[in-house]
């Protein structure tokens, strides 16, 4: 009796087989996605559809990345989000890498998958043929040898055994090779990792800086405003106490002053709390909170909002602060007759735009508001753009990554 096939080998075969068969499916899908991308490139009218095709390519690549990561039990880092415009897509290195990967996968994945499935199919087909040849006079084996007698049927059976034996021999190394090449092609290039690391280190430093600045601002607000007012409350209450001992009627003005100082302290405290995370955001969400800002703007303001997913609180607070700064600037510096605010999520980023039709000429270096927004946004890995030529108009645009 033959020695039993070790379980390890069978397991390796079935794992490799599954990987290659799934790869056959995604390899065929890769052909469709690549054709779609090409179709977008050829006629200029369909060029605006390119970002959508690139996102489909990214989704398929992400599927492959997850599959490779699962089989290798490693994390394959994902590239940054696909840009929103066709021009940016064409210039994007990560999109080009997606396309290169899909091209290789369309050919290699499909061929490797066909090789993998040919083992069981060849085995089954030849066995069926060896048993049913009298029903098919023109039957031939998968290697094209005729099966018209029982000895020839024996040959078909041997062939089936060869297919069955070759599968476990060929499939696992083929799967391993395909897995490694896919992993190498899917991993982000080393330079981009180095760049990314430098960027992360810088934004992390900016985050710490922004955090420290924010703490200092809160500490200053508490110290200069509220603490001073509370000191006044204590002083006036002390005076009231002393007055009470002598002449209760003379104590009244001190109590009233202490009362008004306590009221002021409370109002200051509310303002500080609101500046940390405006409660209107928690109560009504970003879109409505921004509409509230627009309603109170002294320059007429319209707000357009796309569908917003759940956005992290820090990002919401930064976006809200950016809109508040943009509206205040438009009212204070621009002489604009109208302001437009736009909120939306595009390509994995929350994009906030505040534009006014005023005189322009905004310069970050001349004030503290815009540079504060930039620090806050950069700390969240976002970007700030300010277009404000002399004569206007002015556009303030922030974009902050949000989890998909
Ligand atoms: N929308 C705008 N239109 C015209 N000028 C602007 C606008 N926003 C800002 N500026 C100019 O840019 C400078 C910097 O703005 P900002 O950083 O917000 O500082 P500030 O604290 O003075 O508001 C302002 O002092 C102003 O001169
Ligand atoms: Mg300002």
């Amino acid at each position: 009796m033959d020695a039993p096939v070790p379980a390890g080998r069978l397991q390796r075969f079935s794992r490799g087989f599954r990987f290659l068969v799934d790869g056959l499916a995604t390899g065929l899908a890769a052909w469709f996605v690549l054709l779609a991308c090409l179709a977008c490139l050829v006629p200029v009218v369909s060029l605006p559809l390119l970002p959508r095709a690139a996102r489909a390519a990214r989704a398929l690549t992400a599927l492959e990345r997850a599959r490779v990561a699962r089989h290798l039990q490693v994390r394959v880092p994902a590239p940054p989000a696909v840009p929103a415009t066709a021009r940016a897509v064409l210039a994007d290195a990560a999109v080009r890498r997606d396309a290169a990967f899909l091209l290789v996968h369309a050919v290699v994945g499909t061929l490797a998958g066909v090789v993998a499935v040919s083992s069981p199919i060849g085995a089954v087909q030849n066995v069926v043929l060896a048993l049913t040849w009298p029903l098919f006079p023109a039957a031939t084996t998968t290697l094209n040898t005729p099966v018209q007698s029982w000895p020839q049927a024996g040959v078909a059976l041997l062939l089936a055994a060869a297919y069955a034996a070759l599968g476990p021999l060929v499939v696992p190394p083929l799967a391993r090779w395909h897995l490694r090449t896919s992993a190498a092609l899917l991993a982000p290039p080393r330079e981009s990792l180095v760049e990314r690391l430098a960027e992360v280190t810088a934004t992390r430093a900016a985050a710490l800086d922004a955090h420290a600045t924010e703490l200092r601002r809160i500490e200053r607000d508490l110290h200069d405003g509220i603490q001073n007012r509370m000191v006044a409350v204590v002083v006036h209450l002390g005076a009231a106490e002393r007055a009470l001992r002598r002449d209760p009627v003379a104590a009244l003005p001190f109590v009233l002053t202490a009362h008004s100082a306590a009221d002021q302290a409370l109002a200051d405290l509310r303002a500080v709390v609101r500046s940390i995370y405006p409660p209107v955001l928690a109560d009504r969400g970003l879109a409505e909170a921004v509409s509230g800002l627009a309603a109170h703007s002294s320059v007429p303001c319209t707000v357009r909002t796309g569908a917003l997913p759940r956005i992290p609180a820090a990002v919401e607070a930064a976006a809200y602060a950016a809109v508040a700064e943009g509206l205040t600037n438009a009212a204070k510096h621009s002489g604009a007759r109208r302001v437009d605010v736009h909120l939306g999520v595009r390509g994995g980023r929350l994009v906030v735009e505040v534009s006014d039709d005023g005189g322009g000429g905004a310069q970050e270096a001349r004030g503290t508001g815009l540079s504060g927004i930039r620090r806050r946004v950069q700390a969240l890995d976002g970007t700030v753009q300010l277009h404000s030529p002399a004569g206007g108009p002015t556009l303030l645009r922030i974009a902050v990554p949000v989890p998909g």
Side-chain angles (χ1 to χ4, degrees):
M1 218 175 101
D2 283 349
V5 180
R9 189 187 292 180
L10 250 183
Q11 236 172 29
R12 277 204 302 278
F13 170 73
S14 87
R15 232 185 292 138
F17 182 74
R18 256 182 300 149
F19 179 73
L20 293 178
V21 170
D22 290 348
L24 176 60
T26 52
L28 291 174
W31 284 111
F32 283 105
V33 172
L34 286 172
L35 281 178
C37 289
L38 272 183
C40 290
L41 283 181
V42 184
V44 172
V45 268
S46 62
L47 201 59
L49 293 177
L50 187 61
R52 223 174 261 192
R55 275 200 291 280
R58 173 63 51 82
L60 190 56
T61 321
L63 190 73
E64 277 301 291
R65 189 176 287 109
R67 230 160 56 78
V68 166
R70 205 171 46 244
H71 280 267
L72 282 181
Q73 311 246 306
V74 293
R75 212 178 82 76
V76 184
V82 175
T85 63
R87 185 190 289 220
V89 166
L90 285 173
D92 194 74
V95 170
R96 279 204 294 272
R97 273 200 305 279
D98 286 350
F101 168 77
L102 288 182
L103 196 60
V104 173
H105 184 65
V107 177
V108 176
T110 313
L111 284 180
V114 167
V115 169
V117 295
S118 67
S119 155
I121 289 180
V124 170
Q125 202 176 335
N126 285 307
V127 167
V128 169
L129 201 71
L131 298 177
T132 61
W133 68 269
L135 304 176
F136 306 101
T140 56
T141 64
T142 48
L143 290 189
N144 235 1
T145 59
V147 186
Q148 272 140 33
S149 64
W150 285 112
Q152 282 174 339
V155 173
L157 274 185
L158 280 179
L159 207 56
Y163 271 109
L166 269 181
L169 282 184
V170 172
V171 166
L174 183 61
R176 261 199 311 279
W177 172 79
H178 185 30
L179 198 53
R180 294 237 174 83
T181 44
S182 296
L185 283 172
L186 285 168
R190 192 169 278 273
E191 321 81 86
S192 93
L193 284 181
V194 171
E195 268 167 32
R196 181 79 193 119
L197 186 61
E199 206 176 288
V200 168
T201 312
T203 50
R204 184 171 171 277
L208 290 177
D209 220 28
H211 182 64
T213 312
E214 188 68 357
L215 281 182
R216 267 200 304 279
R217 179 184 67 76
I218 295 168
E219 193 263 345
R220 216 174 30 236
D221 285 353
L222 290 175
H223 182 271
D224 297 354
I226 298 158
Q227 188 176 307
N228 281 350
R229 294 202 194 281
M230 290 314 290
V231 168
V233 172
V234 171
V235 168
H236 285 107
L237 281 180
E241 188 195 344
R242 280 193 300 281
L244 268 176
R245 293 185 203 282
R246 283 182 274 114
D247 172 12
V249 178
L252 188 62
F254 293 115
V255 172
L256 289 179
T257 323
H259 186 200
S260 104
D263 272 350
Q264 287 285 342
L266 210 55
D268 285 359
L269 192 58
R270 276 203 204 99
V272 173
V273 170
R274 256 202 304 276
S275 76
I276 297 171
Y277 183 70
V280 61
L281 281 178
D283 294 347
R284 291 159 55 193
L286 181 60
E288 281 208 37
V290 165
S291 301
L293 278 179
H296 290 105
S297 161
S298 56
V299 185
C301 177
T302 52
V303 180
R304 279 181 303 131
T305 326
L308 297 180
R310 271 206 63 217
I311 295 172
V315 177
E316 271 193 343
Y320 182 80
V323 174
E325 181 62 33
L327 290 181
T328 312
N329 280 354
K332 217 162 74 172
H333 308 295
S334 76
R337 273 175 306 160
R338 53 174 298 113
V339 192
D340 286 308
V341 176
H342 176 237
L343 298 177
V345 172
R346 268 181 259 148
R349 306 182 134 228
L350 171 69
V351 178
V352 177
E353 290 171 337
V354 183
S355 53
D356 68 56
D357 62 356
Q363 279 175 12
E364 244 178 275
R366 290 226 307 267
T368 51
L370 291 170
S371 50
I373 294 296
R374 181 178 291 280
R375 269 201 310 280
R376 201 161 168 176
V377 167
Q378 279 179 343
L380 298 168
D381 222 3
T383 53
V384 176
Q385 290 165 326
L386 179 68
H387 299 284
S388 184
T394 296
L395 170 67
L396 171 68
R397 182 175 189 275
I398 73 159
V400 187
V402 285

